[in-house]
Amino acid sequence: MRKKQKIMLARILISAAMLIGLHFVPAEGWLKLALYMVPYLVIGYDILIKAFKGVRNRQVFDESFLMAVATVGAVALALYEKSGDYTEAIAVMLFYQVGEWFQSYAVGKSRRNISALMDIRPDYANIERDGRLEQVDPDEVEPGSLIVVQPGERVPIDGVVVEGASTLNTSALTGESLPRDVKKGGEIISGCINMTGVLKIRTTKEFGESTVSKILDLVENASSRKSRSEDFISKFARVYTPAVCAAALALALLPPAVRLLLGLPAGWHVWIYRALTFLVISCPCALVISIPLSFFAGIGGASRAGVLVKGSNYLEALSKTGVVVFDKTGTLTRGVFEVNAVHHSGMEDEKLIEYAALAESASSHPISRSLRRAYKKEPDRSRVRDVKEFSGNGVTALVDGVSVAVGNDRLMERLGIPYISCHSAGTIIHIGLNGEYAGHIVISDVVKPHSAEAVKALKGAGVRKTVMLTGDRKQVADQVAAKLGIDEACSELLPAGKVEKVEELIRAAKGNEKLAFVGDGINDAPVLGRADIGIAMGAMGSDAAIEAADVVLMDDDPLKIVKAIRISRKCLRIVYENIVFAIGVKLICLVLGALGAANMWLAIFADVGVMILAVLNAIRALFVKKL
Ligand code: ADP
Ligand code: MG
């Protein structure tokens, strides 16, 4: 409990004890009022001050104002009636404060719990100096340093294993409970927990650029992007409170006026009391706190499952996903191409692959990575100059003074190199040397193990249409689409063509359904930005993709898209439940209050009760079923 909460609790207890004690004090008249004012001010002075400040700043219509008017009014009424019954006014203030206290306690606690669940921040890094381990701030470790991670410790910085082998628990990052093995030479990302062996790691990034820091940044900034539902609530409150005040005023004035006209006794105090009750009932606290809390819990639940959602607005959009558009390479397929054949080459196959790998030495495209792997050696970058990459086409470069072109049909046409078409199944990489055709390499990729299941599960989750976009050949695209059960495949697209196609699909969307684009960011970062929801592959994807995306899948598993949609639906369902429940109970109480069937006691209990239930319901959004 924080200090503020402790003080509040003390005020509640003191005021309650005094209120009970005063029942045994036989005071009357002004003395009684003075005595009762003590517990009232102990519990309510801050509310009165806030209400007064609100009036002075002409922003009168908030909860403090409602509570101040209602309780001061009730005291005034008791004075006027000479009933001396001040207990009710004080009790209303007391319970209101109990509600506020619970709210700050519960919200604070659940926020802390949620943050703890997502707590992947490493506190230190171990550096070996003179045979001893020293703990240093991860911020101070330079890229290229050697760090040691012992069993049970969290990997603080991204790097490559240079010594040791171990099993990693990646569940905090990916939500996957299956452990992952690493050994010498393997890449390792920060945030995982080292389980079995001691690892020596050469860091490849600074702490601030490492996976953990990126994730923490994303999560911390997520709640600042407001969703439409949250906007709705703040707009609602702006209209609601004045409306309630006007209604209360009408309730206090109109019926007595009518009675006077009819020649009946006015009964002012009855109607003023009802109007005050009405004000107490109308406090909108449950709504005001439970909705942002639900979104916060939803984002927390998603990140535990390995899905980072960058804002409540995206969570809301995700719940309305009707069309899912996939990039092919790296998203549905593994993006790890194998060389199947080399055709029409006038030289040794190895030599052709060498030219290709060298020309590709600077590209981050999955094809280029695969060619470099097929080359088996580290490309000597000093042999390569003037690299130009044509996205969606290929690359050109000067290798050992020879101008090399590596790419698809389009690249060859563009450079005016006559090429031989190939009918083998697979992606064809043509190679031109000094403007002459030198043959082609046939490479092929395999679909990810969960792709087909993910496409099917999306349909099951109510997604109307799935589309695949690719810059690859039609033959390959159609084959993959058929295998995965994708509704529509568009092939041989340049990056700009992908944007156009997505825009066309957005225009064709039905009702308020949203379009999600899933990609790895290589040649498709613009599309990620253009789609209603851009979903990026976090592990394989480029940094640009993770920046441009609204949702990041930590482990590149397409099945996580379904999970993200389910989480968002559950979260939104909870939000609507809370809205309907809170407004519903309010309306019932308001009607009862206007009819005189509810007193202030009932009103305050209803308010605090609704709030507690709404908060508990909101916390449910944190928990997601396994898929
Ligand atoms: P996808 O949409 O499947 O992710 P891209 O748009 O990234 O594909 O690329 C489309 C096509 O452009 C590839 O299939 C390939 O033929 C060619 N290409 C793109 N980049 C390269 C590269 N670095 N080297 C060779 N070919 C490339
Ligand atoms: Mg791609």
Side-chain angles (χ1 to χ4, degrees), residues 203-270:
T203 61
T204 49
K205 289 184 181 158
E206 277 176 39
F207 176 62
E209 290 297 307
S210 287
T211 312
V212 224
S213 306
K214 292 237 163 103
I215 294 178
L216 288 168
D217 277 357
L218 291 183
V219 173
E220 274 158 22
N221 294 326
S223 34
S224 60
R225 296 195 205 193
K226 289 243 185 310
S227 68
R228 291 248 310 282
S229 307
E230 283 170 282
D231 269 356
F232 161 75
I233 290 306
S234 52
K235 280 196 202 113
F236 174 80
R238 230 176 293 145
V239 181
Y240 174 82
T241 324
V244 163
C245 290
L249 204 60
L251 193 61
L253 299 180
L254 289 183
V258 171
R259 288 174 69 99
L260 278 180
L261 284 180
L262 295 175
L264 296 166
W268 287 104
H269 55 278
V270 174

Side-chain angles (χ1 to χ4, degrees), residues 329-532:
T329 316
T331 304
L332 289 171
T333 67
R334 286 180 50 217
V336 181
F337 293 85
E338 297 293 336
V339 172
N340 297 0
V342 179
H343 293 162
H344 312 291
S345 124
M347 58 180 85
E348 281 169 50
D349 291 358
E350 282 72 33
K351 191 73 191 152
L352 197 69
I353 291 177
E354 178 170 2
Y355 273 125
L358 284 170
E360 294 273 11
S361 60
S363 164
S364 61
H365 198 278
I367 291 182
S368 112
R369 262 184 270 165
S370 309
L371 288 174
R372 273 175 299 179
R373 201 158 9 81
Y375 174 50
K376 295 199 183 74
K377 278 182 275 181
E378 189 65 26
D380 176 1
R381 281 168 179 252
S382 64
R383 291 166 60 190
V384 190
R385 283 193 297 126
D386 294 349
V387 179
K388 281 201 202 80
E389 180 147 5
F390 302 90
S391 49
N393 288 300
V395 296
T396 61
L398 270 183
V399 178
D400 300 336
V402 178
S403 88
V404 183
V406 186
N408 52 18
D409 296 4
R410 265 194 310 253
L411 184 76
M412 295 296 122
E413 277 156 21
R414 185 176 183 145
L415 300 173
I417 300 174
Y419 61 93
I420 303 174
S421 313
C422 181
H423 302 288
S424 317
T427 303
I428 310 298
I429 304 299
H430 298 292
I431 294 158
L433 297 176
N434 283 334
E436 298 289 328
Y437 191 58
H440 55 240
I441 304 174
V442 185
I443 58 179
S444 68
D445 192 5
V446 288
V447 296
K448 288 189 190 170
H450 287 157
S451 292
E453 201 183 325
V455 172
K456 206 167 137 216
L458 280 175
K459 286 272 153 143
V463 168
R464 184 173 60 84
K465 187 172 183 175
T466 52
V467 182
M468 184 181 85
L469 305 182
T470 180
D472 211 343
R473 305 162 68 196
K474 184 164 173 21
Q475 201 188 354
V476 181
D478 290 348
Q479 194 191 344
V480 172
K483 193 164 172 187
L484 299 180
I486 289 194
D487 298 332
E488 188 183 333
C490 303
S491 50
E492 303 182 17
L493 291 169
L494 288 174
K498 293 185 186 174
V499 177
E500 263 168 41
K501 182 67 199 172
V502 160
E503 284 179 341
E504 190 183 303
L505 285 166
I506 289 178
R507 277 195 299 274
K510 298 205 169 116
N512 62 352
E513 71 176 10
K514 299 279 183 238
L515 178 140
F517 176 82
V518 199
D520 60 356
I522 295 168
N523 294 348
D524 55 22
V527 202
L528 279 173
R530 182 63 191 85
D532 295 324

